Amino acid sequence: MMSENLKKACQYYQNNLCKSCDLIDQDLTNYKKNKFDGFSNVVMNDSLFFNRNKAKIVVSGTIDNPILGIKDVEILQCPLHHPQINELIAECKNIIKEIHLKPYDINSRSGELKYLLISRSASS
């Protein structure tokens, strides 16, 4: 079962830092069968579930130590993201420090950067 492999591969899930994966606890064979039953011409590749081409990253922390991931939990190597997205997230952290961009602070409702939206096209 692929979801068991993903659970083992995801340090964030194992350490209870991130629970945002809505498919991680499901047997994907049954999930695909239930969701797409009746669509005999649809071919589902597991890479659609385990190689996401989009990421919405919360930016928190400080100018000197930005945290990219979900609220106050840094997630730089999500096993669901395409590897190029993970590389870009790490690079964005460096850019935020370099240009002194202030991460958004929810409590004070101040800051310049709240989210990063990253997508990767299939042709890149």
Side-chain angles (χ1 to χ4, degrees), residues 47-80:
S47 68
L48 293 173
F49 295 97
F50 298 108
N51 210 356
R52 291 187 182 163
N53 289 320
K54 292 190 306 185
K56 182 177 182 180
I57 307 299
V58 174
V59 181
S60 59
T62 65
I63 293 171
D64 295 327
N65 186 27
I67 299 170
L68 280 64
I70 56 178
K71 185 174 176 353
D72 297 325
V73 176
E74 186 153 79
I75 299 178
L76 298 178
Q77 293 296 319
C78 175
L80 288 182

